[in-house]
Amino acid sequence: MPDPIEDESIQGTTQGLEDSSGGAPRVQIPVEEADVVRKRRRKVLFWWALFLITAGIFAYVYKRSNDPLEAQKSLDTAQRLFSLARYDQAVVACERAIGLRPNFAEAYMLRGRAHLAAYEAERSISDFTKAIALRPNDIGTKLDRALAYIEMKQYSAAIADADSALALDPDVSRAYNLRG
């Protein structure tokens, strides 16, 4: 239905303005220019307010999601939970840290250790692999992944990880122990 304010062809008539339910015809109310200006001003103010609120929310979420201190706090919490043998809660805290900082190798390593302690070797291998991809010269993570491979009875992969750790530092006795 055309807007009676913008369509001047129906000004002053009631033709075409009947209610579709068969009721009484609608009465046209005269509109002044000041009303139109106020309506436009309200629309502009509404959209500006919506824009400012959206920008504020975006800035808050961006700051929160890129805050390295929050990620470190989550990792510290995960380490405390891991030391208390609350592995499922440590995994959740590590996931929070990874969500805040996706390239956080220490969080992947600790989450892998928590999975390994909870007898979820497949998940731990995945986490250790991500941590090794982020920090390829980390001997401890390679040896932890070797332990997970031993848990999965994949001895050749465990020996390969122990050998790669020995290539980085030949004085690591733990790698010799894993090789057997």
Side-chain angles (χ1 to χ4, degrees):
M1 179 171 182
D3 189 9
I5 296 172
E6 295 177 9
D7 190 6
E8 295 180 14
S9 65
I10 59 172
Q11 290 285 334
T13 66
T14 58
Q15 192 174 30
L17 297 177
E18 290 84 17
D19 192 5
S20 61
S21 64
R26 297 183 191 169
V27 177
Q28 212 170 11
I29 301 173
V31 177
E32 296 179 8
E33 188 161 335
D35 294 333
V36 174
V37 170
R38 273 194 295 274
K39 184 176 180 181
R40 285 186 189 145
R41 190 178 306 134
R42 270 187 260 133
K43 282 183 183 179
V44 169
L45 288 175
F46 169 77
W47 286 109
W48 268 107
L50 186 64
F51 170 76
L52 291 174
I53 290 170
T54 305
I57 291 171
F58 177 76
Y60 173 76
V61 169
Y62 180 76
K63 181 187 179 301
R64 181 97 168 132
S65 67
N66 290 320
D67 191 3
L69 294 177
E70 287 294 321
Q72 187 61 46
K73 286 179 186 176
S74 294
L75 182 66
D76 292 342
T77 301
Q79 288 171 338
R80 281 194 306 275
L81 290 168
F82 184 83
S83 68
L84 295 171
R86 294 183 177 174
Y87 304 122
D88 55 341
Q89 294 172 351
V91 167
V92 171
C94 286
E95 287 171 355
R96 188 176 331 117
I98 291 168
L100 292 171
R101 213 168 108 194
N103 294 330
F104 202 4
E106 291 86 3
Y108 283 111
M109 182 197 58
L110 186 60
R111 186 171 74 173
R113 286 181 180 169
H115 282 308
L116 188 59
Y119 302 105
E120 297 172 345
E122 288 180 26
R123 288 183 175 180
S124 68
I125 290 171
S126 171
D127 285 335
F128 290 140
T129 302
K130 289 176 188 172
I132 291 170
L134 293 171
R135 291 182 27 196
N137 294 330
D138 189 0
I139 297 170
T141 307
K142 289 183 180 189
L143 295 176
D144 287 338
R145 186 172 71 174
L147 282 173
Y149 280 134
I150 289 172
E151 186 76 28
M152 296 281 299
K153 298 186 187 329
Q154 296 178 5
Y155 302 114
S156 60
I159 291 172
D161 274 347
D163 288 340
S164 67
L166 284 172
L168 293 172
D169 185 6
D171 296 330
V172 179
S173 62
R174 187 172 158 211
Y176 289 111
N177 291 340
L178 286 174
R179 286 192 72 224

